[in-house]
Coordinates of all heavy atoms in Angstrom, one line a residue:
M1 N -16.8 -77.7 72.2 CA -17.5 -78.9 72.1 C -17.2 -79.9 73.2 O -16.8 -81.0 73.0 CB -17.3 -79.6 70.8 CG -17.7 -78.9 69.6 SD -19.5 -78.5 69.5 CE -20.1 -80.1 69.0
T2 N -17.3 -79.4 74.4 CA -17.0 -80.3 75.6 C -18.3 -81.0 76.0 O -19.4 -80.7 75.4 CB -16.5 -79.5 76.8 OG1 -17.5 -78.5 77.2 CG2 -15.2 -78.8 76.4
Y3 N -18.2 -81.8 77.0 CA -19.4 -82.5 77.5 C -20.4 -81.5 78.1 O -21.6 -81.7 78.0 CB -19.0 -83.6 78.5 CG -18.6 -84.9 77.8 CD1 -17.3 -85.1 77.5 CD2 -19.6 -85.8 77.4 CE1 -16.9 -86.3 76.9 CE2 -19.2 -86.9 76.8 CZ -17.9 -87.2 76.6 OH -17.5 -88.4 75.9
R4 N -20.0 -80.5 78.8 CA -20.9 -79.5 79.4 C -21.7 -78.8 78.4 O -22.8 -78.5 78.6 CB -20.1 -78.5 80.3 CG -19.5 -79.1 81.5 CD -19.1 -78.1 82.5 NE -18.4 -78.7 83.6 CZ -19.1 -79.0 84.7 NH1 -20.3 -78.8 84.8 NH2 -18.4 -79.6 85.7
W5 N -21.1 -78.5 77.2 CA -21.9 -77.8 76.2 C -23.0 -78.7 75.7 O -24.0 -78.2 75.1 CB -21.0 -77.4 75.0 CG -20.1 -76.3 75.4 CD1 -20.0 -75.6 76.5 CD2 -19.0 -75.8 74.6 NE1 -19.0 -74.7 76.5 CE2 -18.4 -74.8 75.3 CE3 -18.5 -76.1 73.3 CZ2 -17.3 -74.1 74.8 CZ3 -17.5 -75.4 72.8 CH2 -16.9 -74.4 73.6
R6 N -22.9 -80.0 75.8 CA -24.0 -80.9 75.3 C -24.9 -81.3 76.5 O -25.7 -82.2 76.4 CB -23.4 -82.1 74.7 CG -22.6 -81.8 73.5 CD -22.1 -83.1 72.9 NE -21.3 -82.8 71.7 CZ -21.3 -83.5 70.6 NH1 -22.0 -84.6 70.6 NH2 -20.5 -83.2 69.6
G7 N -24.8 -80.6 77.6 CA -25.7 -80.9 78.7 C -25.3 -82.1 79.6 O -26.1 -82.7 80.3
R8 N -24.0 -82.5 79.5 CA -23.6 -83.7 80.3 C -23.1 -83.2 81.7 O -22.5 -82.1 81.8 CB -22.4 -84.4 79.6 CG -22.6 -84.8 78.2 CD -23.3 -86.1 78.1 NE -23.2 -86.7 76.8 CZ -24.3 -86.7 76.0 NH1 -25.4 -86.3 76.4 NH2 -24.1 -87.2 74.8
S9 N -23.3 -84.0 82.7 CA -22.9 -83.7 84.0 C -21.5 -84.2 84.2 O -21.0 -85.0 83.4 CB -23.8 -84.3 85.1 OG -23.7 -85.7 85.1
S10 N -20.8 -83.8 85.3 CA -19.5 -84.2 85.6 C -19.5 -85.7 86.0 O -18.5 -86.4 85.7 CB -18.8 -83.4 86.7 OG -19.6 -83.5 87.9
N11 N -20.6 -86.2 86.5 CA -20.7 -87.6 86.9 C -20.7 -88.5 85.6 O -20.0 -89.5 85.6 CB -21.9 -87.9 87.7 CG -21.8 -87.4 89.1 OD1 -20.7 -87.2 89.6 ND2 -23.0 -87.2 89.8
E12 N -21.4 -88.0 84.6 CA -21.4 -88.8 83.3 C -20.0 -88.7 82.7 O -19.6 -89.7 82.1 CB -22.5 -88.2 82.4 CG -23.9 -88.5 82.8 CD -24.9 -87.8 82.0 OE1 -24.6 -86.7 81.5 OE2 -26.0 -88.4 81.8
L13 N -19.4 -87.6 82.8 CA -18.0 -87.5 82.2 C -17.1 -88.5 82.9 O -16.3 -89.2 82.3 CB -17.5 -86.1 82.4 CG -16.1 -85.8 81.9 CD1 -15.9 -86.1 80.4 CD2 -15.6 -84.4 82.2
M14 N -17.1 -88.6 84.3 CA -16.3 -89.5 85.0 C -16.6 -90.9 84.7 O -15.7 -91.8 84.5 CB -16.4 -89.3 86.5 CG -15.8 -88.0 87.0 SD -14.0 -87.9 86.6 CE -13.4 -89.2 87.6
A15 N -17.9 -91.2 84.5 CA -18.3 -92.6 84.2 C -17.8 -93.0 82.8 O -17.3 -94.1 82.6 CB -19.8 -92.7 84.2
A16 N -17.8 -92.0 81.8 CA -17.3 -92.3 80.5 C -15.8 -92.5 80.5 O -15.2 -93.4 79.9 CB -17.6 -91.1 79.6
I17 N -15.0 -91.7 81.4 CA -13.6 -91.9 81.5 C -13.2 -93.2 82.1 O -12.3 -93.9 81.6 CB -13.0 -90.7 82.3 CG1 -13.1 -89.4 81.4 CG2 -11.5 -91.0 82.6 CD1 -12.7 -88.2 82.2
I18 N -14.0 -93.6 83.2 CA -13.7 -94.9 83.8 C -14.0 -96.0 82.9 O -13.3 -97.0 82.8 CB -14.5 -95.0 85.1 CG1 -14.0 -94.0 86.2 CG2 -14.5 -96.4 85.7 CD1 -14.8 -93.8 87.4
F19 N -15.1 -95.9 82.2 CA -15.4 -97.0 81.2 C -14.4 -97.2 80.1 O -14.0 -98.3 79.8 CB -16.8 -96.8 80.6 CG -17.2 -97.8 79.6 CD1 -17.5 -99.1 79.9 CD2 -17.2 -97.4 78.2 CE1 -17.9 -100.0 79.0 CE2 -17.5 -98.4 77.3 CZ -17.9 -99.7 77.7
A20 N -13.9 -96.0 79.6 CA -12.9 -96.1 78.6 C -11.6 -96.7 79.1 O -10.9 -97.5 78.4 CB -12.7 -94.7 78.0
G21 N -11.2 -96.3 80.3 CA -10.0 -96.9 81.0 C -10.2 -98.4 81.2 O -9.2 -99.1 80.9
F22 N -11.4 -98.8 81.7 CA -11.6 -100.2 81.9 C -11.5 -101.0 80.6 O -10.9 -102.0 80.5 CB -13.0 -100.4 82.5 CG -13.4 -101.9 82.6 CD1 -12.8 -102.7 83.5 CD2 -14.3 -102.4 81.7 CE1 -13.2 -104.1 83.5 CE2 -14.7 -103.7 81.7 CZ -14.1 -104.5 82.6
L23 N -12.1 -100.4 79.5 CA -12.1 -101.1 78.2 C -10.7 -101.2 77.7 O -10.3 -102.3 77.2 CB -13.0 -100.3 77.2 CG -13.3 -101.0 75.9 CD1 -14.1 -102.3 76.2 CD2 -14.1 -100.1 75.1
A24 N -9.9 -100.1 77.8 CA -8.5 -100.2 77.3 C -7.7 -101.2 78.1 O -6.9 -101.9 77.5 CB -7.9 -98.8 77.4
G25 N -7.9 -101.2 79.4 CA -7.2 -102.1 80.3 C -7.5 -103.6 80.0 O -6.7 -104.5 80.0
F26 N -8.8 -103.8 79.8 CA -9.2 -105.2 79.5 C -8.7 -105.7 78.1 O -8.2 -106.8 78.0 CB -10.8 -105.2 79.5 CG -11.3 -106.6 79.3 CD1 -11.2 -107.6 80.3 CD2 -12.0 -107.0 78.2 CE1 -11.7 -108.9 80.2 CE2 -12.5 -108.3 78.0 CZ -12.3 -109.2 79.0
I27 N -8.7 -104.8 77.1 CA -8.1 -105.2 75.8 C -6.6 -105.5 76.0 O -6.1 -106.4 75.4 CB -8.4 -104.1 74.8 CG1 -9.9 -104.2 74.5 CG2 -7.6 -104.4 73.5 CD1 -10.4 -103.0 73.6
F28 N -5.9 -104.6 76.7 CA -4.5 -104.8 77.0 C -4.3 -106.2 77.7 O -3.3 -106.9 77.3 CB -3.9 -103.7 77.8 CG -2.5 -103.8 78.2 CD1 -1.5 -103.6 77.2 CD2 -2.1 -104.2 79.5 CE1 -0.2 -103.8 77.5 CE2 -0.8 -104.4 79.8 CZ 0.2 -104.2 78.8
Y29 N -5.1 -106.5 78.7 CA -5.0 -107.7 79.4 C -5.2 -108.9 78.5 O -4.4 -109.9 78.5 CB -6.0 -107.8 80.5 CG -6.1 -109.1 81.3 CD1 -5.1 -109.4 82.2 CD2 -7.1 -109.9 81.1 CE1 -5.2 -110.6 82.9 CE2 -7.2 -111.1 81.7 CZ -6.2 -111.5 82.6 OH -6.3 -112.7 83.3
L30 N -6.1 -108.8 77.6 CA -6.3 -109.9 76.6 C -5.2 -110.1 75.7 O -4.7 -111.2 75.4 CB -7.6 -109.7 75.8 CG -8.9 -109.9 76.6 CD1 -10.1 -109.5 75.7 CD2 -9.1 -111.3 77.1
C31 N -4.6 -109.0 75.2 CA -3.5 -109.1 74.3 C -2.3 -109.6 75.0 O -1.5 -110.4 74.5 CB -3.2 -107.7 73.8 SG -4.4 -107.1 72.6
L32 N -2.0 -109.2 76.3 CA -0.9 -109.7 77.0 C -1.0 -111.2 77.3 O -0.1 -112.0 77.1 CB -0.8 -109.0 78.3 CG 0.5 -109.2 79.2 CD1 1.7 -108.7 78.4 CD2 0.3 -108.5 80.5
G33 N -2.2 -111.7 77.6 CA -2.5 -113.1 77.8 C -2.2 -113.9 76.6 O -1.7 -115.0 76.6
N34 N -2.7 -113.4 75.4 CA -2.5 -114.1 74.2 C -1.0 -114.1 73.8 O -0.5 -115.2 73.3 CB -3.3 -113.3 73.1 CG -3.3 -114.1 71.8 OD1 -3.4 -115.4 71.8 ND2 -3.2 -113.5 70.7
Y35 N -0.3 -113.1 74.1 CA 1.2 -113.1 73.9 C 1.9 -114.1 74.7 O 2.7 -114.9 74.2 CB 1.7 -111.7 74.2 CG 3.2 -111.6 74.2 CD1 4.0 -111.6 73.0 CD2 3.9 -111.6 75.4 CE1 5.4 -111.6 73.0 CE2 5.3 -111.5 75.4 CZ 6.0 -111.5 74.2 OH 7.4 -111.5 74.3
Q36 N 1.5 -114.2 76.0 CA 2.1 -115.2 76.9 C 1.8 -116.6 76.4 O 2.7 -117.5 76.4 CB 1.6 -115.0 78.3 CG 2.1 -113.7 78.9 CD 3.6 -113.7 79.2 OE1 4.2 -114.8 79.4 NE2 4.2 -112.6 79.1
R37 N 0.6 -116.9 76.0 CA 0.2 -118.2 75.5 C 1.0 -118.6 74.3 O 1.5 -119.7 74.1 CB -1.3 -118.2 75.2 CG -1.8 -119.6 74.7 CD -3.2 -119.5 74.1 NE -3.2 -118.5 73.0 CZ -2.8 -118.8 71.7 NH1 -2.3 -120.0 71.5 NH2 -2.9 -117.9 70.8
A38 N 1.1 -117.6 73.3 CA 1.9 -117.9 72.1 C 3.3 -118.1 72.4 O 4.0 -119.0 71.8 CB 1.7 -116.7 71.1
K39 N 3.9 -117.4 73.4 CA 5.3 -117.6 73.7 C 5.5 -119.0 74.4 O 6.5 -119.6 74.0 CB 5.7 -116.5 74.8 CG 7.1 -116.4 75.1 CD 7.4 -115.2 76.0 CE 8.8 -115.2 76.4 NZ 9.1 -114.1 77.3
R40 N 4.6 -119.4 75.2 CA 4.7 -120.8 75.8 C 4.6 -121.8 74.7 O 5.4 -122.8 74.7 CB 3.7 -121.0 76.9 CG 4.0 -120.4 78.2 CD 3.1 -120.9 79.3 NE 1.7 -120.8 78.9 CZ 0.9 -119.8 79.2 NH1 1.3 -118.8 79.8 NH2 -0.4 -119.8 78.8
A41 N 3.7 -121.6 73.8 CA 3.6 -122.6 72.7 C 4.8 -122.7 71.8 O 5.2 -123.7 71.4 CB 2.3 -122.3 71.8
M42 N 5.4 -121.5 71.6 CA 6.6 -121.4 70.8 C 7.8 -122.2 71.5 O 8.5 -122.9 70.9 CB 7.0 -120.0 70.5 CG 8.2 -119.8 69.6 SD 8.6 -118.1 69.3 CE 9.0 -117.5 71.0
D43 N 7.9 -122.0 72.8 CA 8.9 -122.7 73.6 C 8.7 -124.2 73.6 O 9.7 -124.9 73.4 CB 8.9 -122.1 75.0 CG 9.5 -120.7 75.1 OD1 10.2 -120.3 74.1 OD2 9.2 -120.1 76.1
R44 N 7.4 -124.6 73.7 CA 7.2 -126.0 73.7 C 7.5 -126.6 72.3 O 8.1 -127.7 72.2 CB 5.7 -126.3 74.0 CG 5.4 -126.3 75.4 CD 4.0 -126.9 75.7 NE 2.9 -126.3 74.8 CZ 2.2 -125.3 75.2 NH1 2.3 -124.7 76.3 NH2 1.2 -124.9 74.3
Q45 N 7.2 -125.9 71.2 CA 7.5 -126.4 69.9 C 9.0 -126.4 69.6 O 9.5 -127.4 69.0 CB 6.8 -125.5 68.9 CG 6.9 -126.0 67.5 CD 6.1 -125.1 66.5 OE1 5.7 -124.0 66.9 NE2 5.8 -125.6 65.3
R46 N 9.7 -125.4 70.1 CA 11.2 -125.4 69.9 C 11.8 -126.6 70.7 O 12.7 -127.3 70.2 CB 11.7 -124.1 70.4 CG 13.2 -124.0 70.2 CD 13.8 -122.7 70.6 NE 12.9 -122.0 71.5 CZ 13.1 -120.8 72.0 NH1 14.2 -120.1 71.7 NH2 12.2 -120.2 72.8
K47 N 11.3 -126.8 71.9 CA 11.8 -127.9 72.7 C 11.6 -129.3 72.0 O 12.4 -130.1 71.9 CB 11.2 -127.9 74.1 CG 11.7 -129.0 75.0 CD 11.0 -128.9 76.4 CE 11.5 -130.1 77.2 NZ 10.7 -130.1 78.5
R48 N 10.4 -129.4 71.5 CA 10.0 -130.7 70.8 C 10.9 -130.8 69.5 O 11.3 -131.9 69.2 CB 8.5 -130.7 70.4 CG 8.1 -131.9 69.7 CD 6.6 -132.0 69.6 NE 6.2 -133.2 69.0 CZ 5.9 -133.3 67.7 NH1 6.0 -132.3 66.9 NH2 5.5 -134.5 67.2
R49 N 11.1 -129.7 68.8 CA 11.9 -129.8 67.6 C 13.4 -130.2 67.9 O 14.0 -131.0 67.2 CB 11.9 -128.5 66.9 CG 12.6 -128.5 65.5 CD 12.4 -127.2 64.7 NE 12.6 -126.0 65.5 CZ 11.7 -125.1 65.8 NH1 10.5 -125.2 65.5 NH2 12.1 -124.0 66.5
V50 N 13.9 -129.7 69.0 CA 15.3 -130.0 69.4 C 15.3 -131.5 69.8 O 16.3 -132.2 69.5 CB 15.7 -129.1 70.6 CG1 17.0 -129.6 71.3 CG2 16.0 -127.7 70.1
E51 N 14.3 -132.0 70.5 CA 14.3 -133.4 70.9 C 14.2 -134.3 69.7 O 14.9 -135.3 69.6 CB 13.1 -133.7 71.8 CG 13.2 -133.1 73.2 CD 12.0 -133.3 74.0 OE1 10.9 -133.8 73.5 OE2 12.0 -132.9 75.2
L52 N 13.4 -133.9 68.7 CA 13.4 -134.7 67.5 C 14.7 -134.7 66.7 O 15.1 -135.7 66.2 CB 12.2 -134.2 66.6 CG 10.8 -134.5 67.0 CD1 9.8 -133.8 66.1 CD2 10.6 -136.0 67.0
E53 N 15.3 -133.5 66.7 CA 16.6 -133.5 66.0 C 17.7 -134.4 66.7 O 18.5 -135.1 66.1 CB 17.2 -132.0 66.0 CG 16.4 -131.2 65.0 CD 16.6 -131.6 63.5 OE1 17.6 -132.1 63.2 OE2 15.6 -131.5 62.8
E54 N 17.6 -134.3 68.1 CA 18.6 -135.2 68.8 C 18.2 -136.7 68.6 O 19.2 -137.5 68.5 CB 18.5 -134.9 70.3 CG 19.1 -133.5 70.7 CD 18.9 -133.2 72.1 OE1 18.2 -134.0 72.8 OE2 19.3 -132.1 72.5
E55 N 17.0 -137.0 68.5 CA 16.6 -138.4 68.2 C 17.0 -138.8 66.8 O 17.5 -139.9 66.6 CB 15.1 -138.5 68.4 CG 14.6 -140.0 68.3 CD 13.1 -140.1 68.6 OE1 12.6 -139.3 69.4 OE2 12.5 -140.9 67.9
K56 N 16.9 -137.9 65.9 CA 17.3 -138.2 64.5 C 18.8 -138.5 64.5 O 19.3 -139.4 63.9 CB 17.0 -137.1 63.6 CG 15.6 -137.0 63.1 CD 15.6 -135.8 62.1 CE 14.2 -135.5 61.7 NZ 14.1 -134.3 60.8
R57 N 19.6 -137.6 65.2 CA 21.0 -137.7 65.3 C 21.4 -139.0 65.9 O 22.3 -139.7 65.5 CB 21.6 -136.5 66.0 CG 22.9 -136.1 65.4 CD 23.4 -134.8 66.0 NE 22.3 -133.8 66.0 CZ 22.0 -133.0 67.0 NH1 22.7 -133.0 68.1 NH2 21.1 -132.1 66.9
A58 N 20.7 -139.4 67.0 CA 21.0 -140.6 67.7 C 20.8 -141.8 66.9 O 21.5 -142.8 66.9 CB 20.2 -140.7 69.0
L59 N 19.7 -141.8 66.1 CA 19.4 -142.9 65.2 C 20.4 -143.0 64.1 O 20.7 -144.1 63.6 CB 17.9 -142.8 64.7 CG 16.8 -143.1 65.6 CD1 15.5 -142.8 65.0 CD2 16.9 -144.5 66.1
A60 N 20.8 -141.9 63.6 CA 21.7 -141.9 62.4 C 23.1 -142.4 62.8 O 23.7 -143.1 62.1 CB 21.9 -140.5 61.9
F61 N 23.5 -142.1 64.1 CA 24.9 -142.5 64.5 C 24.9 -143.8 65.4 O 25.9 -144.1 65.9 CB 25.6 -141.4 65.2 CG 25.9 -140.2 64.3 CD1 25.3 -139.0 64.5 CD2 26.6 -140.4 63.1 CE1 25.6 -137.9 63.7 CE2 26.9 -139.4 62.3 CZ 26.4 -138.1 62.5
S62 N 23.7 -144.4 65.6 CA 23.7 -145.5 66.5 C 24.3 -146.8 65.8 O 24.0 -147.0 64.6 CB 22.3 -145.8 67.0 OG 21.5 -146.3 65.9
P63 N 25.1 -147.6 66.5 CA 25.7 -148.7 65.9 C 24.6 -149.8 65.6 O 24.8 -150.6 64.7 CB 26.7 -149.2 66.9 CG 26.3 -148.6 68.2 CD 25.6 -147.4 67.8
T64 N 23.5 -149.9 66.3 CA 22.6 -150.9 66.1 C 21.8 -150.7 64.8 O 21.3 -151.6 64.2 CB 21.6 -151.0 67.3 OG1 20.9 -149.7 67.4 CG2 22.3 -151.3 68.6
N65 N 21.7 -149.4 64.4 CA 20.9 -149.1 63.2 C 21.7 -149.3 61.9 O 21.2 -149.3 60.8 CB 20.3 -147.7 63.3 CG 19.1 -147.6 62.5 OD1 18.5 -148.5 62.0 ND2 18.7 -146.3 62.2
R66 N 23.0 -149.3 62.0 CA 23.9 -149.4 60.8 C 23.7 -150.7 60.1 O 23.7 -150.7 58.9 CB 25.3 -149.2 61.2 CG 25.9 -148.0 60.7 CD 27.3 -147.8 61.1 NE 27.4 -146.5 61.8 CZ 28.4 -146.0 62.3 NH1 29.5 -146.7 62.3 NH2 28.4 -144.9 62.8
G67 N 23.6 -151.7 60.8 CA 23.5 -153.0 60.2 C 22.2 -153.3 59.5 O 22.1 -154.2 58.7
G68 N 21.3 -152.5 59.7 CA 20.1 -152.5 58.9 C 18.9 -152.9 59.6 O 18.1 -153.5 59.2
G69 N 18.3 -152.7 60.4 CA 16.9 -152.9 60.5 C 16.3 -153.0 61.8 O 15.4 -152.2 62.1
S70 N 16.8 -153.8 62.6 CA 16.1 -154.0 63.9 C 16.6 -153.0 64.9 O 17.8 -152.8 65.0 CB 16.3 -155.4 64.4 OG 17.6 -155.6 64.7
L71 N 15.7 -152.5 65.7 CA 16.0 -151.6 66.8 C 16.1 -152.5 68.1 O 15.6 -153.6 68.1 CB 15.0 -150.5 66.9 CG 15.0 -149.5 65.8 CD1 13.8 -148.6 66.0 CD2 16.3 -148.7 65.7
G72 N 16.6 -151.9 69.1 CA 16.7 -152.6 70.4 C 15.3 -152.8 70.9 O 14.3 -152.2 70.5
G73 N 15.1 -153.7 71.8 CA 13.8 -154.1 72.3 C 13.1 -152.9 73.0 O 11.9 -152.8 72.9
S74 N 13.8 -152.0 73.7 CA 13.1 -151.0 74.5 C 13.0 -149.7 73.7 O 12.4 -148.8 74.1 CB 13.9 -150.7 75.7 OG 15.2 -150.2 75.4
V75 N 13.5 -149.7 72.5 CA 13.5 -148.4 71.7 C 12.2 -148.5 70.8 O 12.0 -149.4 70.1 CB 14.7 -148.3 70.8 CG1 14.6 -147.1 69.9 CG2 16.0 -148.2 71.6
T76 N 11.4 -147.4 70.8 CA 10.3 -147.3 70.0 C 10.6 -146.3 68.9 O 11.2 -145.3 69.2 CB 9.0 -146.9 70.8 OG1 9.3 -145.6 71.3 CG2 8.7 -147.9 71.8
R77 N 10.1 -146.5 67.7 CA 10.4 -145.6 66.6 C 9.3 -144.6 66.5 O 8.1 -144.9 66.6 CB 10.4 -146.4 65.3 CG 11.8 -146.7 64.9 CD 11.7 -147.1 63.5 NE 12.9 -146.4 62.8 CZ 13.4 -146.9 61.7 NH1 12.9 -147.9 61.1 NH2 14.4 -146.3 61.2
R78 N 9.7 -143.4 66.4 CA 8.7 -142.3 66.2 C 8.8 -141.8 64.8 O 9.8 -141.8 64.1 CB 9.2 -141.1 67.1 CG 8.1 -140.0 67.1 CD 8.6 -138.8 67.9 NE 8.8 -139.1 69.3 CZ 9.2 -138.2 70.2 NH1 9.5 -137.0 69.8 NH2 9.3 -138.5 71.4
R79 N 7.6 -141.6 64.2 CA 7.5 -141.1 62.8 C 8.1 -139.7 62.7 O 7.6 -138.8 63.4 CB 6.1 -141.2 62.4 CG 5.9 -140.9 60.9 CD 4.5 -141.0 60.5 NE 4.4 -140.6 59.1 CZ 3.3 -140.2 58.5 NH1 2.2 -140.2 59.3 NH2 3.3 -139.8 57.3
I80 N 9.0 -139.5 61.9 CA 9.7 -138.2 61.7 C 9.3 -137.8 60.2 O 9.7 -138.4 59.3 CB 11.2 -138.3 61.9 CG1 11.4 -138.8 63.3 CG2 11.8 -137.0 61.6 CD1 12.9 -139.0 63.6
N81 N 8.7 -136.6 60.1 CA 8.3 -136.1 58.8 C 9.5 -135.4 58.2 O 10.1 -134.6 58.8 CB 7.1 -135.3 58.9 CG 5.9 -136.1 59.2 OD1 5.9 -137.3 59.0 ND2 4.9 -135.5 59.8

């Protein structure tokens, strides 16, 4: 059951092989791009989480916050969930 038995020429066989290779390569390229995008997003999220943890730690141990309430003039409070 090869292509020749069904009346296919060698040019059609080569076109089918090239198309299948292109399709597989394109799908691989899309998957690789999606992986890279997800990896960058994960790194950004991890960096942001570390910054928030450092900010929490700094607020918890800061001497200005112990007395209760007012922050320094240049410090802005970020909402931490």
Side-chain angles (χ1 to χ4, degrees):
M1 296 299 280
T2 63
Y3 276 94
R4 287 193 187 272
W5 289 353
R6 294 182 183 215
R8 306 274 195 254
S9 69
S10 60
N11 286 341
E12 288 174 329
L13 177 63
M14 288 302 294
I17 291 172
I18 290 171
F19 177 72
F22 170 76
L23 191 61
F26 185 67
I27 291 171
F28 177 74
Y29 173 76
L30 289 177
C31 290
L32 189 66
N34 191 36
Y35 170 76
Q36 292 292 332
R37 182 194 56 79
K39 189 175 176 183
R40 281 193 309 267
M42 184 180 62
D43 289 340
R44 280 194 308 266
Q45 189 176 15
R46 181 177 18 183
K47 182 180 176 186
R48 183 169 181 263
R49 187 171 50 244
V50 166
E51 288 174 355
L52 285 174
E53 288 296 323
E54 288 174 358
E55 187 175 324
K56 280 183 190 177
R57 218 171 307 135
L59 285 175
F61 294 120
S62 68
T64 59
N65 203 15
R66 246 180 234 178
S70 66
L71 294 173
S74 64
V75 177
T76 60
R77 262 196 137 157
R78 188 184 295 181
R79 184 174 175 204
I80 301 173
N81 293 337

